[in-house]
Structures are given as structure tokens and as C-alpha cells.
Amino acid sequence: MKDIIPAFDNKDFKQMKSLAHSLKGASAYIGASRLHYICYFIQEHFVFGDYEKMLEYYPSLVESAIEFKVYSRKIIAEHNGKYNIQ
């Protein structure tokens, strides 16, 4: 995720597509479907040359990555018996 920030800032669409592709595979493997599909759409818009749409998906990409990180840590903590917050 941290590598996609400079690509977004510099409007390096090819690099954004490449990083989204890598993240798409990893997120599918771990079951982060929302993150997976956002990456898919970033890639798709690159293929069709719709770079503005790629940029529009960036906030959702960040949001879903954070959302998954929080959720996964909660699940791990519950599994380890360390999560007591209601």
C-alpha cells in the first residue's frame, strides 16, 4: 500500500496499475474481497485509458485497506483471546 502513494501523487498510472495488480492477488488470497475489487477496477480503467477513474478509486482503496487491517487485527486478537472490547 505504501508504494502506491507516490504513484498516485505523481499520476504514474502504469505503476498504479502494476501495484494494484499485486495487491489484487494478495487481497483475493486472504479474502479481502472489497479491496480485491477496487484493485480490479483500477486495473480495468488503466486498460481502457480512463485515468481519471483510476484516481477516483484511490480513496476507496485506502479506506478498504484500513478497514481490512482493523478487521483482521480484531479477528486475530479474538482468536488469541486478547480482544475484550464490546
Side-chain angles (χ1 to χ4, degrees):
M1 262 314 284
K2 68 179 177 154
D3 294 335
I4 206 164
I5 296 168
F8 173 78
D9 289 341
N10 296 324
K11 295 186 179 173
D12 184 346
F13 301 112
K14 187 174 182 178
Q15 182 68 1
M16 271 185 76
K17 190 270 302 176
S18 177
L19 293 166
H21 175 75
S22 297
L23 187 56
K24 182 182 76 170
S27 60
Y29 181 74
I30 61 173
S33 59
R34 182 170 179 234
L35 186 58
H36 168 82
Y37 282 107
I38 290 169
C39 292
Y40 167 82
F41 287 119
I42 288 173
Q43 279 188 272
E44 182 178 67
H45 291 301
F46 177 82
V47 169
F48 292 115
D50 193 349
Y51 305 124
E52 288 304 311
K53 275 288 194 191
M54 287 177 73
L55 297 176
E56 287 179 23
Y57 275 96
Y58 181 75
S60 296
L61 177 71
V62 173
E63 181 181 295
S64 64
I66 292 168
E67 198 174 79
F68 181 76
K69 186 174 184 176
V70 169
Y71 179 73
S72 64
R73 288 190 176 186
K74 178 184 173 199
I75 296 297
I76 291 168
E78 286 175 347
H79 177 73
N80 292 332
K82 297 179 182 176
Y83 189 78
N84 295 325
I85 299 173
Q86 297 297 326

